[in-house]
Amino acid sequence: MEKQLLLGNEAVARGLYEAGVRVISSYPGTPSTEITEAAAKYDEMFSEWAPNEKVAAEVASGASLGGARSFCAMKHVGLNVAADPLFTSTYTGVNGGLIIAVADDPGMHSSQNEQDSRHYAIAAKLPMVEPADSQECKDFVKAAYEISEKYDTPVLFRLSTRISHSQSAVELLEREEVPLKEYKKDPAKYVMAPANAKKRHVVVEERMQALKELAETTGLNRVEDADSDIGIITSGISYQYTKEAVGDKAGVLKLGLVNPLPVKLIEEFVKKYKTIYVAEELDPIIETHVKCLGISCHGKDVFPLIGELSQRIVAKVLL
């Protein structure tokens, strides 16, 4: 099996190719730009730059409704521009699978703010996955399309500057040709006039309950136990910083599905450890969820709210 060193963004593009994606419409913005640049090298996928993020999301959503696996990418502030079709697509659902990738920029290396896109997943009631290395960038793309089509929903795919621009080995597989799904005219599902939207909101809430059950069992979430008094709940690049800093000196719950977050999985994990830490960049999304479960933990009281984490910061707190 061939392996190749790929940037995270390149690995996402490879995942799109292997997953049988047909249509990609994006708007450039660091740290997401290279996804579509890399995807454009595959002749099997139609790739374009849209005039803005809203149009990109609408093109990808339209291709999805037409039965094709589709994709769009943007940076975190671009999701503000795409918010209108994003929130509506939650109600309409999909036909072919649809992934909307958003690359956050902790540390503001190339951005005017430091917003946390996980808030959009919560507000829009959409599943969100977050990989922690290039291999997961590719693998999580395939998993996200399976979630999208099984649960009839767009899936948000959260990246960050360090994941997008770091490089690691990736196993390359052949492309899976996914047939176009038949389009069936269904105004009650796809036309969000108020009378239809009221009924679709019920569907959205039922879907979120099903996704909460998925969060308890999905392989996107992983427990790495250790003989220690310390347990750490983390995700994305923060997982890499945590492992590099503490190795096997602490138990780790690595979350790959970051919305919705699991309940039982977290409750069972924390029972094994005396002290619980939540290591995450930017806002205390996971920390707030854990505390709402009545679990005492350390988060932004010891880790910074602003900027990136690092191995040094994690080690200073935990060692």
Side-chain angles (χ1 to χ4, degrees):
M1 185 176 298
E2 182 184 356
K3 282 192 175 184
Q4 187 173 334
L5 287 174
L6 295 178
L7 296 173
N9 282 348
E10 293 172 333
V12 172
R14 181 68 191 192
L16 298 175
Y17 166 77
E18 293 182 9
V21 170
R22 293 172 181 260
V23 176
I24 299 169
S25 183
S26 303
Y27 186 79
T30 302
S32 73
T33 307
E34 298 89 351
I35 299 173
T36 304
E37 289 179 336
K41 297 177 183 178
Y42 296 100
D43 293 336
E44 294 85 351
M45 300 186 292
F46 170 81
S47 300
E48 68 170 15
W49 291 126
N52 58 51
E53 294 89 350
K54 179 178 184 290
V55 174
E58 289 172 337
V59 169
S61 180
S64 164
L65 298 188
R69 283 191 169 183
S70 58
F71 174 86
C72 72
M74 60 200 69
K75 67 184 295 176
H76 61 292
V77 290
L79 201 54
N80 302 333
V81 181
D84 181 23
L86 177 77
F87 278 75
T88 302
S89 68
T90 303
Y91 277 42
T92 62
V94 302
N95 188 15
L98 172 60
I99 293 178
I100 301 171
V102 54
D104 287 359
D105 190 19
M108 292 177 282
H109 300 281
S110 59
S111 305
Q112 65 268 46
N113 73 11
E114 202 174 28
Q115 71 190 50
D116 189 326
S117 295
R118 292 177 294 175
H119 290 291
Y120 270 104
I122 295 168
K125 302 180 186 293
L126 286 173
M128 174 180 268
V129 301
E130 183 176 12
D133 59 27
S134 294
Q135 182 67 54
E136 286 191 350
C137 282
K138 194 197 78 163
D139 293 343
F140 281 21
V141 163
K142 296 180 180 181
Y145 278 112
E146 292 173 2
I147 291 171
S148 177
E149 291 171 351
K150 180 176 180 179
Y151 293 91
D152 188 17
T153 179
V155 175
L156 286 170
F157 196 93
R158 188 191 188 215
L159 297 159
S160 65
T161 299
R162 299 300 178 183
I163 294 298
S164 290
H165 293 163
S166 61
Q167 191 178 65
S168 59
V170 176
E171 293 182 351
L172 305 184
L173 302 176
E174 296 299 319
R175 176 175 168 88
E176 176 190 358
E177 292 297 342
V178 179
L180 282 172
K181 292 194 173 183
E182 180 185 0
Y183 171 74
K184 297 180 181 179
K185 189 174 181 180
D186 188 355
K189 183 177 190 294
Y190 296 130
V191 180
M192 286 305 97
N196 294 335
K198 290 176 183 178
K199 297 176 182 178
R200 290 299 299 176
H201 189 188
V202 175
V203 174
V204 170
E205 297 300 338
E206 292 173 345
R207 175 207 299 151
M208 284 304 298
Q209 289 301 316
L211 287 166
K212 287 177 182 178
E213 295 177 9
L214 173 68
E216 304 293 348
T217 59
T218 177
L220 298 174
N221 298 330
R222 183 172 77 236
V223 174
E224 300 175 5
D225 283 320
D227 185 11
S228 172
D229 290 334
I230 295 175
I232 306 166
I233 305 173
T234 187
S235 67
I237 191 60
S238 300
Y239 166 79
Q240 300 293 358
Y241 296 147
T242 298
K243 293 298 289 185
E244 289 181 30
V246 305
D248 297 328
K249 296 179 181 178
V252 173
L253 171 54
K254 177 190 176 298
L255 298 173
L257 182 63
V258 294
N259 192 62
L261 291 165
V263 173
K264 295 178 182 178
L265 183 64
I266 291 174
E267 290 175 337
E268 291 301 315
F269 175 77
V270 302
K271 289 177 182 178
K272 307 171 189 175
Y273 301 98
K274 183 177 180 180
T275 306
I276 300 297
Y277 291 86
V278 177
E280 58 186 325
E281 287 185 330
L282 301 181
D283 295 338
I285 304 294
I286 301 173
E287 177 187 351
T288 299
H289 176 75
V290 171
K291 288 182 175 178
C292 284
L293 299 178
I295 298 167
S296 176
C297 66
H298 295 288
K300 295 305 175 183
D301 57 328
V302 292
F303 292 115
L305 180 66
I306 297 171
E308 297 179 290
L309 293 183
S310 67
Q311 299 92 329
R312 185 179 303 169
I313 292 172
V314 175
K316 184 177 180 181
V317 170
L318 295 176
L319 297 180

